[in-house]
Amino acid sequence: MRKILIAASLLFISLSLNAQNREIHFEKLSLKEALAKAKIENKSVFVDCFTTWCVPCKRMEADVFTVDSVADFYNKNFINIKVDMEKGEGPAVKKTYTVEAYPSYLVLDAEGKTRNKFVGGMSAGAFIANARKSINANNDEANLNARYESGDRSPELMRAYIKHKVKVMEISKAKQLNVELMSLLTPQQKASPENWFLFGQNRYTMYLSDLSSPNFKYLAEHWRDFVAKNTKDTVDKKLSSVYRQIASWTLNGFYVKAKPYDRATFEMYKKQIQNTEMPDKNQLLVMMDIAIAAAENNEPKVTQLFLDHLGSFSEDNRHILFDYVSYCSKIKGYDYPKIAALSDEITRTSSNPFLIRQFKSMKERYAKKDN
């Protein structure tokens, strides 16, 4: 009896181990070959769009593609292939299907038309759920593509389409759709609450309404229209956040990586600020002067402007002092000649313990006895 139980146990363990060894079977086919095979077998093609340096791609391959339920579903329903977006046919696939983030996953019909697209690392359950949507043509990707391709340019469709393109990280397409929608709307329609997501602070900001976007420029020049349709506080907070970002990015060096410094552009920012009624308008004007001085490598002026005005800054605006530290750290041999005065003023006026602590530490390190 004991031998029978041992044998049964070993058999169970063996079966369990075998059951955990399944994974998605990726065939070594070109996309054209995969589409031809899909047509013969009446299946769709699943394309794993990856790069060799993409960490989430590797995690999905190791932790999700090897889950039995995932492997079973994908192997049953799709012709599966992997395409390196930087080699072979990868660049062409990337361009055709607007692949702009990794990992991206395409489900194509036998004609090469997109049935579904989903992006990023996810759980096995979510990965299967997306696959199920791909089998059912009634999903956002298929529906929105079809409506747009049929000529539908209704504001409702365009808004949904822009949001979806951001979701699947087709940012260039989302920006094109945004420009198209703006050309179709009246000034009053642009300022309406249903279109505020194109201008306001939200998950779409960095793609559609950041400091270099046409949407932000429009908002800055027509802010009164938006105040009338939304609220002044909402509009003020958006405007203030972007001008604060401009100063922050200029100090920490991000601005010049995105676009070349041009004094006239910063003077335009100042004019835009001057024409608003933001509560922190005067603070933001000072911050633009700080940004100009930083971009022109005038450190003494940067420091003096902070000393003269940081006491009047809001805590949100005072936060750019962290970027001031980044700015100074890039100056070879810089010894923070006015660090004691800065630290004392921050201690006197700020309620941010992290800011106070950092400048106190810098004062202890750099301040001369006679400073």
Side-chain angles (χ1 to χ4, degrees):
M1 183 66 178
R2 186 181 176 187
K3 291 182 178 180
I4 293 174
L5 289 174
I6 293 174
S9 298
L10 290 173
L11 178 60
F12 178 77
I13 292 171
S14 176
L15 291 172
S16 297
L17 290 173
N18 289 334
Q20 297 304 314
N21 288 335
R22 299 196 296 280
E23 61 185 47
I24 297 177
H25 173 57
F26 288 98
E27 303 190 42
K28 294 183 178 180
L29 302 172
S30 67
L31 178 56
K32 183 177 180 180
E33 291 168 338
L35 292 172
K37 186 172 182 179
K39 183 174 290 188
I40 294 171
E41 297 186 13
N42 194 28
K43 289 183 176 181
S44 296
V45 174
F46 170 71
V47 186
D48 173 22
C49 302
F50 75 99
T51 66
T52 56
W53 47 262
C54 166
V55 174
C57 299
K58 297 179 188 298
R59 288 177 179 166
M60 288 293 291
E61 184 173 23
D63 300 332
V64 176
F65 295 177
T66 55
V67 173
D68 288 351
S69 55
V70 170
D72 292 344
F73 193 92
Y74 276 74
N75 292 338
K76 177 182 177 181
N77 293 284
F78 306 124
I79 304 298
N80 304 294
I81 64 170
K82 298 173 74 69
V83 180
D84 186 333
M85 292 292 99
E86 297 179 331
K87 297 178 182 177
E89 66 178 340
V93 172
K94 176 180 177 179
K95 182 178 180 180
T96 299
Y97 295 99
T98 319
V99 177
E100 297 178 350
Y102 309 106
S104 284
Y105 304 110
L106 304 172
V107 178
L108 311 175
D109 65 20
E111 303 301 323
K113 192 171 183 178
T114 307
R115 293 179 64 91
N116 199 10
K117 182 178 185 179
F118 39 108
V119 177
M122 63 193 75
S123 67
F127 199 58
I128 292 175
N130 278 305
R132 291 188 187 281
K133 291 178 184 177
S134 307
I135 293 173
N136 179 3
N138 187 27
N139 62 66
D140 288 345
E141 178 75 24
N143 287 338
L144 292 169
N145 286 343
R147 288 178 62 185
Y148 184 81
E149 289 168 8
S150 72
D152 186 347
R153 296 296 184 274
S154 64
E156 174 270 327
L157 178 277
M158 296 295 285
R159 285 192 292 268
Y161 207 28
I162 290 169
K163 290 178 179 179
H164 178 72
K165 290 304 180 186
V166 171
K167 179 182 177 182
V168 298
M169 295 304 293
E170 292 187 22
I171 304 306
S172 61
K173 183 64 175 178
K175 290 180 177 181
Q176 292 172 12
L177 292 168
N178 171 75
V179 171
E180 186 175 6
L181 175 58
M182 290 300 101
S183 71
L184 300 172
L185 299 177
T186 66
Q188 292 303 306
Q189 288 174 323
K190 291 176 184 177
S192 64
E194 59 264 29
N195 290 319
W196 177 245
F197 79 95
L198 298 167
F199 301 91
Q201 288 178 276
N202 49 50
R203 63 172 296 192
Y204 307 101
T205 296
M206 67 183 295
Y207 309 117
L208 302 176
S209 59
D210 69 354
L211 60 92
S212 59
S213 67
N215 280 13
F216 179 73
K217 187 173 187 296
Y218 183 88
L219 173 64
E221 294 173 353
H222 300 84
W223 62 269
R224 287 183 177 82
D225 293 342
F226 289 87
V227 167
K229 296 275 188 176
N230 300 275
T231 68
K232 185 175 184 299
D233 182 61
T234 299
V235 176
D236 284 346
K237 284 182 177 178
K238 168 62 182 185
L239 291 171
S240 180
S241 72
V242 175
Y243 292 120
R244 183 165 55 248
Q245 182 188 57
I246 291 169
S248 171
W249 279 24
T250 306
L251 283 165
N252 61 37
F254 291 165
Y255 185 95
V256 293
K257 291 179 181 179
K259 56 193 301 185
Y261 169 71
D262 174 34
R263 177 70 178 256
T265 301
F266 280 74
E267 294 297 339
M268 177 195 72
Y269 294 146
K270 290 178 66 174
K271 185 176 180 181
Q272 289 174 345
I273 294 168
Q274 193 67 57
N275 289 334
T276 70
E277 296 175 0
M278 291 182 290
D280 59 347
K281 177 167 74 174
N282 290 335
Q283 298 172 40
L284 293 167
L285 287 170
V286 172
M287 291 168 74
M288 287 302 105
D289 286 335
I290 289 171
I292 290 170
E296 296 177 354
N297 299 313
N298 189 344
E299 181 282 323
K301 186 173 182 179
V302 171
T303 302
Q304 195 59 50
L305 283 167
F306 271 119
L307 274 172
D308 292 343
H309 298 282
L310 72 86
S312 65
F313 278 14
S314 68
E315 207 62 71
D316 281 344
N317 289 337
R318 200 178 286 128
H319 198 271
I320 69 164
L321 280 156
F322 288 114
D323 299 296
Y324 167 75
V325 176
S326 297
Y327 166 72
C328 292
S329 68
K330 296 173 184 176
I331 303 173
K332 188 175 181 179
Y334 191 69
D335 60 358
Y336 298 90
K338 295 187 177 182
I339 192 62
L342 275 172
S343 177
D344 292 346
E345 184 66 4
I346 290 167
T347 301
R348 185 183 71 82
T349 61
S350 178
S351 61
N352 186 329
F354 302 104
L355 187 63
I356 293 170
R357 189 180 306 126
Q358 175 159 358
F359 274 79
K360 277 187 174 180
S361 174
M362 292 171 64
K363 176 182 176 180
E364 292 173 0
R365 181 178 179 184
Y366 292 102
K368 297 180 176 68
K369 291 182 179 180
D370 60 347
N371 193 3

Short mmCIF file of all heavy atoms in Angstrom, two decimals, residues 16 26 124 337:
data_model
loop_
_atom_site.label_atom_id
_atom_site.label_comp_id
_atom_site.label_asym_id
_atom_site.label_seq_id
_atom_site.Cartn_x
_atom_site.Cartn_y
_atom_site.Cartn_z
N SER A 16 2.23 17.60 -12.30
CA SER A 16 2.18 19.00 -11.91
C SER A 16 3.32 19.78 -12.54
O SER A 16 3.15 20.89 -13.05
CB SER A 16 2.25 19.14 -10.38
OG SER A 16 1.13 18.53 -9.78
N PHE A 26 6.05 30.96 -30.06
CA PHE A 26 6.31 31.99 -31.07
C PHE A 26 6.99 31.34 -32.27
O PHE A 26 8.07 30.75 -32.14
CB PHE A 26 7.18 33.10 -30.49
CG PHE A 26 6.47 33.99 -29.50
CD1 PHE A 26 6.62 33.77 -28.13
CD2 PHE A 26 5.65 35.00 -29.93
CE1 PHE A 26 5.96 34.58 -27.22
CE2 PHE A 26 4.98 35.81 -29.03
CZ PHE A 26 5.14 35.60 -27.67
N ALA A 124 -1.13 38.22 -15.90
CA ALA A 124 -1.60 37.17 -16.82
C ALA A 124 -3.09 37.33 -17.10
O ALA A 124 -3.54 37.17 -18.24
CB ALA A 124 -1.31 35.79 -16.22
N PRO A 337 28.52 80.62 -2.38
CA PRO A 337 28.97 81.75 -1.56
C PRO A 337 27.90 82.39 -0.69
O PRO A 337 28.22 83.00 0.33
CB PRO A 337 29.51 82.75 -2.60
CG PRO A 337 28.82 82.37 -3.87
CD PRO A 337 28.69 80.89 -3.82
#
